[in-house]
């Protein structure tokens, strides 16, 4: 249950939680505690790490975390599950293209890469590695991916550029995206490349593998408190190495740098340790229901909010309250949107209706 709850906690910020936090903290002095807290609900422009930068890697980490549960019975006969793995991967890629507007047939101006595509690729790659290796080899492969990705940037210059360039304009990943990706490179995804682009998808596989290793630990025969301590120790270790490596290989989400993988992985491991301790060890499961409801249908609400006008529904039910709320009108409607989304998910949860891909 802790995995579902943590997935729901993560998705909460995408479906309205971050907008509510921004509205509550809006207008704060940037040098004050409130101002610094508000900045945590926005992506960093380029180099660095904020809590909002954790949302996507945590989701990918959790996608890897469930693989030891769903694929363990196929470990002796891995070919039996290849079709299932690839079907899910293809389904996620197609959902991502649908999310990006492929049905509008404006292929020249369409964005082809997206969050769901990266999850699909990472899920399939991590699943195949899990089926054919044990945890020690998975750890070696994760380290090899991170070191290999660093070496690509450190020693291979883009045409007309220099090796080791991590700037927006001059990085190798951006050059590859501009040269290879069809469609349009959008300004809001840093403009010189796609933040879910081709080269940066390679280290994203390492993010999923960190989840696989965490899931394997949770399924081990260790005592519950040993599992918590192991997850926490691994998280702290990743943070120390990630921030240390960041001095030479900067922590940049848009490039999914190896240091970013470790920093995001460290926070993901620590959050999993906390959620596992509170929900699965201490059995505070009723308190987790709010997040479990969201986490059980995370992709459903992620896709639905693109074509369901939850704002209009919230205005129908909460418009009167908003109008008499004075300066809090916008906040009331933002909370109303979140309530409407959660009620839909609770309806599906109570009837055991889940979108599977």
């Amino acid at each position: 249950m802790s995995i579902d709850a943590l997935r729901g906690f993560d998705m909460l910020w995408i479906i309205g939680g971050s907008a509510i936090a921004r509205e509550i903290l809006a207008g704060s002095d940037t040098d004050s505690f409130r101002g610094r807290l508000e900045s945590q609900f926005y992506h960093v422009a380029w180099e660095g790490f904020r809590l909002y930068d954790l949302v996507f890697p945590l989701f990918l980490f959790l996608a890897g975390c469930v693989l030891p549960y769903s694929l363990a019975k196929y470990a002796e006969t891995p070919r039996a599950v290849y079709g299932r793995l690839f079907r899910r991967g293809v389904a996620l890629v197609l959902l991502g293209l649908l999310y990006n507007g492929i049905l509008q047939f404006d292929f020249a101006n369409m964005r082809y890469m997206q969050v769901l595509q990266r999850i699909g690729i990472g899920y399939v790659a991590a699943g195949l590695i899990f089926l054919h290796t044990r945890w020690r080899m998975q750890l070696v492969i994760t380290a090899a991916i991170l070191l290999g990705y660093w070496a690509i940037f450190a020693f291979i210059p883009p045409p007309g550029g220099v090796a080791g360039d991590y700037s927006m304009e001059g990085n190798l990943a951006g050059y590859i995206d501009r040269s290879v990706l069809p469609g349009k490179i959008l300004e809001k995804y840093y403009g010189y490349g796609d933040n879910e682009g081709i080269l940066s998808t390679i280290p994203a596989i390492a993010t999923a593998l960190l989840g696989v290793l965490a899931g394997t630990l949770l399924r081990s025969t260790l005592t519950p408190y040993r599992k918590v301590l192991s997850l926490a120790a691994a998280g702290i270790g990743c943070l120390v190495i990630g921030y240390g490596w960041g001095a030479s290989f900067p922590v940049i989400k848009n490039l999914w740098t190896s240091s970013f993988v470790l920093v995001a992985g460290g926070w993901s491991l620590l959050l999993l340790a906390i959620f596992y301790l509170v929900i699965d060890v201490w059995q505070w499961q009723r308190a987790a229901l709010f997040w479990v409801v969201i986490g059980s249908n995370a992709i459903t609400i992620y896709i639905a909010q693109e074509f369901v006008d939850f704002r209009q529904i919230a205005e129908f039910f909460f418009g009167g309250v908003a109008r008499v709320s004075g300066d809090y009108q916008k906040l009331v409607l933002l909370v109303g949107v979140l309530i409407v989304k959660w009620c839909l998910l609770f309806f599906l949860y109570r009837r055991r209706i889940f979108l599977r891909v």
Side-chain angles (χ1 to χ4, degrees):
M1 184 175 284
S2 59
I3 294 176
D4 276 341
L6 183 52
R7 188 188 299 111
F9 172 81
D10 190 36
M11 183 57 64
L12 172 69
W13 306 108
I14 296 177
I15 67 173
S18 60
I20 293 171
R22 292 167 190 161
E23 180 62 23
I24 292 172
L25 298 168
S28 302
D29 184 348
T30 55
D31 293 329
S32 67
F33 172 77
R34 281 173 57 89
R36 291 192 296 271
L37 184 60
E38 181 187 2
S39 71
Q40 295 299 315
F41 295 98
Y42 293 91
H43 289 301
V44 69
W46 188 246
E47 184 178 338
F49 190 88
R50 294 175 181 164
L51 291 180
Y52 199 55
D53 296 318
L54 180 60
V55 172
F56 181 19
L58 176 57
F59 198 95
L60 184 55
F61 171 88
L62 292 172
C65 207
V66 301
L67 284 170
Y69 291 89
S70 61
L71 299 183
K73 61 183 178 182
Y74 299 103
E76 300 301 322
T77 56
R79 291 185 180 181
V81 77
Y82 287 167
R84 176 183 170 187
L85 267 178
F86 283 102
R87 280 196 304 273
R88 288 187 168 185
V90 169
L92 285 165
V93 169
L94 292 176
L95 281 172
L97 292 172
L98 178 67
Y99 187 98
N100 281 358
I102 195 171
L103 295 181
Q104 303 306 310
F105 302 149
D106 187 9
F107 304 118
N109 293 302
M110 178 181 158
R111 182 190 180 211
Y112 283 80
M113 301 300 286
Q114 203 257 354
V115 167
L116 293 176
Q117 283 91 316
R118 177 161 289 183
I119 293 174
I121 294 168
Y123 173 83
V124 171
L128 291 173
I129 293 169
F130 170 77
L131 287 169
H132 291 282
T133 60
R134 298 190 180 277
W135 74 267
R136 288 184 177 85
M137 181 54 67
Q138 292 160 18
L139 190 60
V140 170
I141 292 172
T142 302
I145 290 172
L146 297 180
L147 289 170
Y149 191 60
W150 163 79
I152 288 172
F153 272 93
F155 300 113
I156 302 177
V162 296
D165 188 340
Y166 306 116
S167 67
M168 285 188 185
E169 303 87 350
N171 71 83
L172 178 63
Y175 172 82
I176 293 174
D177 290 341
R178 295 193 304 272
S179 303
V180 176
L181 278 179
K184 193 171 184 179
I185 301 293
L186 300 180
E187 192 68 32
K188 65 179 180 178
Y189 300 111
Y190 91 84
Y192 297 94
D194 196 295
N195 66 337
E196 273 95 43
I198 297 171
L199 190 62
S200 60
T201 297
I202 296 172
I205 296 170
T207 298
L209 285 173
L210 287 175
V212 169
L213 290 164
T216 300
L217 175 64
L218 288 179
R219 291 190 74 248
S220 71
T221 57
L222 292 175
T223 64
Y225 285 103
R226 286 286 299 276
K227 292 177 184 179
V228 171
L229 290 174
S230 298
L231 288 170
I236 293 170
C238 284
L239 288 173
V240 170
I241 297 170
Y243 279 117
W245 200 356
S248 58
F249 192 21
V251 177
I252 303 174
K253 176 184 180 294
N254 286 324
L255 300 182
W256 215 272
T257 56
S258 301
S259 55
F260 171 80
V261 171
L262 291 172
V263 170
W267 287 116
S268 299
L269 286 161
L270 288 174
L271 281 171
L272 181 59
I274 294 169
F275 272 68
Y276 174 71
L277 174 65
V278 173
I279 297 170
D280 289 330
V281 179
W282 292 347
Q283 294 289 301
W284 291 11
Q285 297 185 350
R286 288 187 178 180
L289 179 64
F290 175 79
W291 291 323
V292 171
V293 167
I294 301 172
S296 298
N297 258 313
I299 292 180
T300 303
I301 196 62
Y302 181 77
I303 296 293
Q305 62 185 0
E306 278 300 296
F307 58 85
V308 176
D309 194 343
F310 289 105
R311 173 82 179 195
Q312 186 175 10
I313 299 171
E315 287 178 350
F316 178 83
F317 287 104
F318 301 100
V321 176
R323 277 192 295 275
V324 300
S325 299
D327 294 339
Y328 298 100
Q329 178 174 345
K330 184 177 178 181
L331 178 60
V332 169
L333 287 176
L334 288 172
V335 173
V337 169
L338 181 59
I339 291 172
V340 170
K341 290 178 181 178
W342 191 87
C343 287
L344 169 63
L345 292 173
F346 184 66
F347 173 84
L348 297 174
Y349 180 82
R350 286 291 301 269
R351 284 155 181 78
R352 315 305 296 170
I353 300 172
F354 306 105
L355 175 64
R356 304 295 187 195
V357 295

